[in-house]
Amino acid sequence: MKKFRRYVSLFVMALLSCLVLTGCSAGSTINTTLTINNDLSGTRVMEVAIDDSVFSESFTGTMQDLNAVIESNGPAELTYTYSEDTGIKTYRFELGFSSVEDYQSKVNTLLGEGYTVSVQKSDSIWATGV
């Protein structure tokens, strides 16, 4: 039993070390937020932050080149803005929708596959509070 605990402890320590090292070396982040209004309209916002070192390692062109690629190949359903601040380039993509059906249609257009979107409102005490 002691050997088993020792191996599990070593495995967990190695896994945590890998996660920490990976997290420290991450030069870009992707965050997404879905906001749904009471009338079931809303927005999906995706923010992509890219460190200058990752950009220079991964892309051989300039920012103007990348923006041109996004402009020419980006779907009409997405709007985007670009900002730059102290070594970090940030893209903000926004997908607005007027209903769940509109959202599903736009997601399927973007991804090219048949995804199903379902929205559920929870009435539990954990969701609504006391």
Side-chain angles (χ1 to χ4, degrees):
M1 187 66 158
K2 281 186 176 184
K3 278 187 175 185
F4 178 73
R5 284 186 191 169
R6 182 174 168 212
Y7 288 126
V8 169
S9 297
L10 288 172
F11 175 74
V12 170
M13 299 258 305
L15 180 63
L16 287 174
S17 298
C18 288
L19 289 174
V20 167
L21 291 174
T22 302
C24 292
S25 67
S28 60
T29 59
I30 299 173
N31 294 315
T32 183
T33 305
L34 176 63
T35 303
I36 301 176
N37 303 319
N38 287 337
D39 65 352
L40 299 179
S41 65
T43 57
R44 163 75 71 181
V45 176
M46 295 153 280
E47 289 188 349
V48 180
I50 307 166
D51 187 82
D52 281 343
S53 63
V54 172
F55 179 79
S56 61
E57 289 174 12
S58 305
F59 192 73
T60 58
T62 65
M63 284 310 299
Q64 290 79 15
D65 296 335
L66 181 57
N67 288 335
V69 169
I70 292 172
E71 282 288 330
S72 63
N73 296 310
E77 289 83 3
L78 283 179
T79 59
Y80 86 95
T81 58
Y82 166 74
S83 63
E84 197 169 336
D85 183 36
T86 318
I88 298 177
K89 298 158 180 25
T90 303
Y91 283 94
R92 177 185 163 97
F93 298 94
E94 190 169 317
L95 175 69
F97 55 93
S98 59
S99 65
V100 175
E101 293 78 18
D102 184 35
Y103 179 63
Q104 179 160 344
S105 172
K106 289 180 177 182
V107 166
N108 286 332
T109 299
L110 288 172
L111 300 177
E113 297 184 26
Y115 287 93
T116 302
V117 175
S118 69
V119 177
Q120 299 175 347
K121 182 178 179 183
S122 177
D123 291 328
S124 75
I125 193 169
W126 303 110
T128 58
V130 177

